[in-house]
Amino acid sequence: MLPYGRQSISEEDIEAVVAILRGDWLTTGPTVTAFEEAVGKVAGGHRAVSCTSGTAALHMGYAAAGVGAGDEVITTPMTFVATASGASILGAKIVFADVEEDTALIDPAAVEALVTERTKVVAAVDYAGHPADYDALQAVADRVGALTLDDAAHSIGGSYRGRPVGDLADLTSFSFFPTKNLTTAEGGALVARDDAIAQRAHEFHFIGLVRDQSRFRMTDEGPWHQEVHDLGLNYRLTDVACALGLSQLTRLDAFKTRRTEITARYNAALADVPGLRIPVQRDDVDPVWHLYPVRVLEGRRREVFEKMRERGIGVQVNYIPVYWHPVYADLGYQRGMCPNAEAFYAEELSLPLYPDLTDAEVDRVIETLVDVLG
Ligand SMILES: *Cc1c(COP(=O)(O)O)cnc(C)c1O
C-alpha cells in the first residue's frame, strides 16, 4: 500500500542519530539547543522550544499564553483535534469559526463575528501546508487584545507575504511526526515572537523548574537549588530525536521542492477531471504542500476512498470537523455550525504526498483515481 504520507530517512540521518547514542548526552544536551536554534532560524529568528509532539507544543503555547477557565479560544474545525484540545484541557471554551469555502482555512470574517473581550487566542491552521491569512487575523485579534497562534504542523518552511512560517503569528506550533514535512519520530516545537512567552513555554515543558538564581524566592538553599513557581510537565525532546531533526532540517528545502513538484504533477493531471476539485493556492503564499487534498464531488468520496484502498493507494481523510468528536458533541456543539468545514469534510480525500514518492507512483495514483471515477 502506498501510504498518504511517510518519512524520508537518509544515511546521514542515521549516522547523526548513532553518533548521539555513542556520546554523553541522550537528552537535555547540546543537540537539543542546536536543534532549537536551527528551528528558530527557519521560523523567523524567534526562540523555539522543542518538545515531544505537536500536541505538546499546542498545550505549551496555550499555557504560555495564559489560557485558562473563563477564556475563549477561536479556532478552525478543519484540523486535528489537538488544535482545540490543547486549550480545552486548560479549561478554555473553544469557539469554532468556519473556514473559507475553497481553501478550508479559517475565515477572518468568521473570526471577526466571534471575537469578544474573553477571546484569549485566535488559532489558525495552515491546512495542507498553505498559510492562513495572518494579516487579517492579527488585526482582528489585536482589536480585542488576543494573541494569534499558527498551528503549523503542516507548513514549516512555507511563507506568507514574504514572511516565513514562525513569524506569522504570536505563537507557532510545529509537529515532527513521521508524516509531517520533517521528522524527529515523535516531536514538536513552539516558537514565540515574545521572549517572555517563550520562556514560560520553556518552563512549562521543563516541569516548571526555575533555575535562574535572580528569580529565586528561596535565596539561601545552596548551589544545587532549583524551584517551581508554576506547574509544568515533562515535554522535553531528547538529543537523539534532535539529532535526527537537525539532519532533517538540512533537507527541508529539498523536501519542499519535491513536494511542490508532486503537487504540480497532480494539478496538471487532475485539473479537468470531472467529479473532482483540486486544491487552490492564494497569490500571496509560498506553501509547503503537506497534503494533496482533492474534493470528490457527487457524494462519491467514501466509495472512491474504499476503491483506492482496495487498489493499494493509501488515501486518507483530513479531517472530521473537530466539534463532531464525541468529547465536543457532549459539550453541546451542534452539527451544522460550520457549513463550509462540513461540506469540505464530506468531499475531502488526501492523495499520497511525500518526498520519496516517485513520478511513476504519482502517475499510478492519478491513473487509479481517474479509473475509479470513470
Ligand atoms: C499532526 C498535527 C498535530 C499534532 O501533532 P503530533 O505531533 O501528532 O502530536 C496538530 N495539529 C495538526 C494540524 C496536525 O496535523
Side-chain angles (χ1 to χ4, degrees):
M1 178 92 73
L2 278 183
Y4 84 99
R6 67 159 286 150
Q7 69 276 16
S8 171
I9 301 294
S10 67
E11 282 308 312
E12 290 73 21
D13 291 341
I14 294 166
E15 291 302 320
V17 169
V18 169
I20 296 300
L21 294 174
R22 295 190 200 285
D24 292 330
W25 297 88
L26 292 185
T27 192
T28 322
T31 310
V32 174
T33 310
F35 181 56
E36 290 181 340
E37 284 172 4
V39 170
K41 204 173 267 178
V42 302
H46 306 295
R47 180 169 174 195
V49 180
S50 63
C51 58
T52 48
S53 68
T55 302
L58 285 157
H59 192 194
M60 285 156 58
Y62 291 125
V67 168
D71 293 328
E72 294 180 359
V73 169
I74 299 179
T75 193
T76 164
M78 191 39 59
T79 184
F80 183 63
V81 65
T83 317
S85 61
S88 299
I89 213 162
L90 292 164
K93 179 184 168 198
I94 306 300
V95 178
F96 291 99
D98 206 356
V99 297
E100 298 172 342
E101 194 279 335
D102 56 349
T103 60
L105 298 170
I106 195 167
D107 183 347
V111 175
E112 171 95 54
L114 294 169
V115 285
T116 71
E117 68 284 358
R118 289 182 302 279
T119 308
K120 194 87 173 182
V121 176
V122 174
V125 173
D126 298 334
Y127 179 81
H130 185 304
D133 187 357
Y134 289 97
D135 285 350
L137 293 169
Q138 192 73 51
V140 176
D142 285 349
R143 222 166 24 73
V144 295
L147 298 175
T148 51
L149 183 148
D150 174 2
D151 179 343
H154 299 180
S155 62
I156 190 168
S159 67
Y160 161 87
R161 300 188 178 170
R163 285 150 55 207
V165 168
D167 191 41
L168 305 182
D170 295 308
L171 296 157
T172 301
S173 61
F174 295 122
S175 166
F176 306 130
F177 189 73
T179 54
K180 306 296 165 81
N181 293 345
L182 65 92
T183 192
T184 58
E186 298 284 356
L190 183 81
V191 170
R193 290 197 292 216
D194 178 333
D195 277 339
I197 294 179
Q199 181 59 26
R200 281 208 294 278
H202 173 82
E203 284 167 21
F204 183 79
H205 103 303
F206 212 107
I207 311 110
L209 293 173
V210 173
R211 294 164 138 186
D212 172 3
Q213 271 191 19
S214 70
R215 292 171 54 210
F216 283 172
R217 305 238 299 261
M218 292 178 280
T219 51
D220 239 359
E221 287 304 309
W224 57 85
H225 182 63
Q226 47 186 348
E227 60 187 35
V228 172
H229 298 176
D230 290 299
L231 298 177
L233 294 161
N234 179 352
Y235 277 162
R236 292 184 306 235
L237 195 59
T238 64
D239 284 62
V240 179
C242 287
L244 178 55
L246 261 179
S247 182
Q248 289 260 303
L249 263 177
T250 66
R251 302 165 63 210
L252 182 59
D253 285 346
F255 290 161
K256 180 180 180 182
T257 299
R258 183 60 191 148
R259 287 178 175 278
T260 305
E261 284 170 6
I262 295 169
T263 297
R265 200 172 182 90
Y266 278 139
N267 284 342
L270 299 175
D272 300 320
V273 173
L276 214 56
R277 268 174 78 182
I278 63 169
V280 298
Q281 180 178 332
R282 298 279 188 254
D283 291 337
D284 54 358
V285 301
D286 178 22
V288 181
W289 287 105
H290 163 63
L291 300 173
Y292 189 83
V294 294
R295 295 176 69 163
V296 182
L297 310 180
E298 294 148 24
R300 297 186 64 197
R301 193 271 309 278
R302 181 168 185 157
E303 172 208 339
V304 172
F305 179 101
E306 286 171 351
K307 286 183 174 161
M308 293 292 281
R309 287 279 181 116
E310 272 164 28
R311 291 167 69 163
I313 313 287
V315 289
Q316 186 56 282
V317 171
N318 305 92
Y319 296 93
I320 185 170
V322 170
Y323 58 83
W324 285 22
H325 284 287
V327 66
Y328 286 104
D330 288 350
L331 291 170
Y333 293 92
Q334 302 285 326
R335 291 197 181 198
M337 194 168 58
C338 296
N340 288 344
E342 295 186 18
F344 186 85
Y345 166 65
E347 296 177 345
E348 198 275 343
L349 188 73
S350 301
L351 303 184
L353 176 56
Y354 48 91
D356 291 351
L357 198 65
T358 66
D359 284 352
E361 287 168 331
V362 175
D363 291 345
R364 193 180 127 214
V365 175
I366 292 164
E367 282 155 27
T368 309
L369 180 58
V370 170
D371 191 48
V372 162
L373 283 166

